[in-house]
């Protein structure tokens, strides 16, 4: 296995990735959970994303930051659950973010699909670590942690 720590010195800002779970031998590690400073890792492949959805005029990354940095005051879940209102806001923000399908044939397929929150793994959900469904399988949505 090889381990890649995303943003090890905290110097990058406003990045957004999804790691699609796959047996690649590469584990992407991420500090998440706001000031809780949790460390997670997921094996798979990294796909850069854009948080802005031009069709709707919404910015999913900005909305996620507002939820976790403002509404939750940067502390992450701190071992607790999310209220129904905050969970719905997370679900909506995740749906703003689109994933370009891989095509799996080697040819570029100009199609993008909104990500979906993986409700079966909602217990893992925290700031900068959100389990999602992509067209290529389960993944984890990651961005630069606020602390």
């Amino acid at each position: 296995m090889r381990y890649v720590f995303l943003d090890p010195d905290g110097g990058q800002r406003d990045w957004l990735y999804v790691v699609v779970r796959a047996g690649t031998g590469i584990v992407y590690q991420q500090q998440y959970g706001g000031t809780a400073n949790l460390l997670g890792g997921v094996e798979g492949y990294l796909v850069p994303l854009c948080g802005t959805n031009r069709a709707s005029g919404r910015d999913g990354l900005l909305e996620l930051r507002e939820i976790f940095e403002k509404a939750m005051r940067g502390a992450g879940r701190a071992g607790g659950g999310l209220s129904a209102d905050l969970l719905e806001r997370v679900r909506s923000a995740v749906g703003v973010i689109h994933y370009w399908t891989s095509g799996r044939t080697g040819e570029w397929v100009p199609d993008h699909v909104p990500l979906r929150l993986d409700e079966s793994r909602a217990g893992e959900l925290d700031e900068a670590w959100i389990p999602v469904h992509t067209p290529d399988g389960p993944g984890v949505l990651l961005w630069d942690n606020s602390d």
Side-chain angles (χ1 to χ4, degrees):
M1 297 295 254
R2 297 285 189 233
Y3 295 85
V4 177
F5 195 89
L6 300 174
D7 194 18
D9 66 358
Q12 298 175 346
R13 289 293 295 161
D14 298 324
W15 54 266
L16 181 66
Y17 304 130
V18 67
V19 176
V20 178
R21 292 181 182 272
T24 62
I26 300 171
V27 175
Y28 293 92
Q29 293 181 303
Q30 157 80 346
Q31 179 187 335
Y32 71 98
T35 56
N37 291 320
L38 302 172
L39 179 64
V42 58
E43 181 182 8
Y45 57 91
L46 184 80
V47 178
L49 300 173
C50 177
T52 304
N53 182 315
R54 290 187 182 123
S56 69
R58 292 174 60 194
D59 186 328
L61 178 57
L62 179 62
E63 291 178 26
L64 289 168
R65 286 189 183 287
E66 288 174 358
I67 294 164
F68 289 100
E69 295 175 22
K70 293 181 181 167
M72 297 184 71
R73 297 186 179 113
R77 283 191 15 202
L82 292 178
S83 69
D85 175 59
L86 287 178
L87 183 60
E88 179 53 37
R89 286 177 59 193
V90 168
R91 187 181 296 116
S92 177
V94 166
V96 169
I97 300 165
H98 282 205
Y99 178 97
W100 290 87
T101 58
S102 70
R104 297 188 186 194
T105 63
E107 294 182 22
W108 181 67
V109 179
D111 189 24
H112 62 285
V113 177
L115 293 176
R116 287 184 303 116
L117 179 64
D118 186 343
E119 306 273 343
S120 71
R121 296 186 296 142
E124 299 174 23
L125 186 153
D126 211 328
E127 180 190 4
W129 187 275
I130 298 183
V132 294
H133 290 287
T134 78
D136 293 325
V140 180
L141 182 64
L142 309 169
W143 67 92
D144 48 311
N145 188 37
S146 69
D147 82 320

